Amino acid sequence: MIKASNLRKVYGGDFVSVDNLSFDINKGEIVGFVGQNGAGKTTTIKMLTGILRPTSGTVAINGADIEKEPVKAKQAIGYIADNPDIFLHLTGSEYVNFIADIYGVSEADRKKRIEQMADRFGMEDSLNKKMLGYSHGMRQKMMVIGALVHKPPVWILDEPMTGLDPNAAYELKKMMREHADEGNCVFFSTHVLEVAEKLCDRIIMIKKGESIYQGTLEELCEKHKNKSLEDIFIDMTQE
Ligand SMILES: Nc1ncnc2c1ncn2[C@@H]1O[C@H](COP(=O)(O)OP(=O)(O)OP(=O)(O)O)[C@@H](O)[C@H]1O
Ligand SMILES: [Mg+2]
């Protein structure tokens, strides 16, 4: 569903942020993207979603090249950015309806989906208030609702749990599993290794923009016997 081939991003002519990065995310999978601060996760995610143009390499979403068929590719993506502080002068409801307009979601479908998701996240009473007055976690919840309102098959989420309370994080994790089990996929970055451990079918670990591990956590733990995931992560990303 996501095919990244030889992605490379050079900032400012000489700083290589992501290099030689290739992976496939398949139907039914939740794949976690891990790596230290500055490893290149957000840069990669922005190339996958067509926000940043790669210096070289290609991205295909359900077979549509993100540069050659951007609208087709982007219609399939639900994207959550790493910062929810946008459109703060809109109410939650105005924001999510604006996103639904962009994606051409019918009135009936959007009403149902917004109600469902607002209920899951306990946001029903806040929808008609300006997002400027929301807490960080409430803004994050609206970003999730906005990203999923058009029922995208391919979820690409940049640190989606940040700021969510345990109840909302639990709901989101449950939604991610349901979504993958329905034959879709989820690719998300996280610093919370327990989340990766519990939720992911596979992980992709990057260091200084290059892939250093792709596979299941069981295989990784098998290779590093008697070590916790935290120890393995620290060893691999620092060595
Ligand atoms: N617009 C930019 N111009 C120049 N350098 C950039 C730009 N954006 C990111 N970088 C650099 O690219 C590298 C990767 O940054 P990126 O934001 O992709 O990391 P990350 O893995 O998402 O980190 P974090 O875990 O802190 O979110 C960093 O060294 C960063 O300084
Ligand atoms: Mg980041």
Side-chain angles (χ1 to χ4, degrees):
M1 299 191 89
I2 305 175
K3 188 171 187 57
S5 309
N6 299 310
L7 284 181
R8 177 178 165 89
K9 181 69 191 178
V10 181
Y11 285 119
D14 60 357
F15 181 76
V16 181
S17 171
V18 171
D19 201 13
N20 197 27
L21 184 60
S22 299
F23 54 81
D24 287 301
I25 314 293
N26 306 308
K27 262 183 197 294
E29 278 193 315
I30 302 181
V31 178
F33 195 29
V34 297
Q36 287 181 310
N37 293 133
K41 300 178 299 297
T42 296
T43 301
T44 302
I45 285 176
K46 285 185 174 168
M47 291 192 281
L48 295 181
T49 49
I51 295 167
L52 270 182
R53 176 171 285 181
T55 306
S56 58
T58 56
V59 170
I61 305 291
N62 280 344
D65 185 289
I66 195 84
E67 288 199 66
K68 295 186 188 132
E69 298 181 275
V71 174
K72 190 171 172 209
K74 287 176 186 181
Q75 267 165 349
I77 296 174
Y79 165 61
I80 300 177
D82 56 350
N83 177 2
D85 301 327
I86 56 168
F87 298 112
L88 297 181
H89 288 278
L90 299 184
T91 66
S93 174
E94 285 166 349
Y95 167 71
V96 76
N97 274 290
F98 167 59
I99 303 293
D101 285 343
I102 293 175
Y103 285 100
V105 183
S106 73
E107 290 292 333
D109 282 354
R110 76 175 70 175
K111 188 169 179 289
K112 199 170 93 201
R113 284 192 68 71
I114 295 169
E115 271 174 16
Q116 255 174 15
M117 288 193 282
D119 178 51
R120 284 183 90 151
F121 289 133
M123 286 294 286
E124 311 92 319
D125 297 339
S126 306
L127 283 177
N128 292 321
K129 294 179 186 148
K130 272 194 180 194
M131 295 199 288
L132 192 62
Y134 284 8
S135 69
H136 179 86
M138 290 161 78
R139 289 178 193 172
Q140 187 68 9
K141 289 175 184 177
M142 280 322 299
M143 293 303 113
V144 175
I145 298 172
L148 306 183
V149 72
H150 65 292
K151 271 201 140 214
V154 175
W155 291 7
I156 299 177
L157 320 175
D158 200 351
E159 298 189 35
M161 285 354 144
T162 306
L164 294 185
D165 62 38
N167 315 54
Y170 174 79
E171 277 306 323
L172 182 57
K173 285 185 274 185
K174 216 161 76 175
M175 286 162 75
M176 288 161 78
R177 187 74 264 168
E178 287 164 8
H179 189 66
D181 289 348
E182 284 163 11
N184 304 296
C185 75
V186 179
F187 180 68
F188 75 108
S189 68
T190 183
H191 288 298
V192 187
L193 297 175
E194 293 80 41
V195 169
E197 202 162 17
K198 289 210 183 103
L199 197 61
C200 295
D201 302 304
R202 274 195 301 135
I203 60 161
I204 297 175
M205 196 184 286
I206 62 165
K207 179 181 173 183
K208 294 187 182 153
E210 295 192 48
S211 167
I212 54 169
Y213 180 75
Q214 299 194 21
T216 65
L217 279 163
E218 292 80 44
E219 285 162 351
L220 186 65
C221 293
E222 192 61 30
K223 278 191 200 147
H224 301 258
K225 282 215 162 72
N226 303 322
K227 279 192 187 166
S228 68
L229 182 58
E230 188 177 33
D231 289 339
I232 298 171
F233 179 87
I234 290 169
D235 286 354
M236 288 182 74
T237 53
Q238 283 183 346
E239 73 197 15

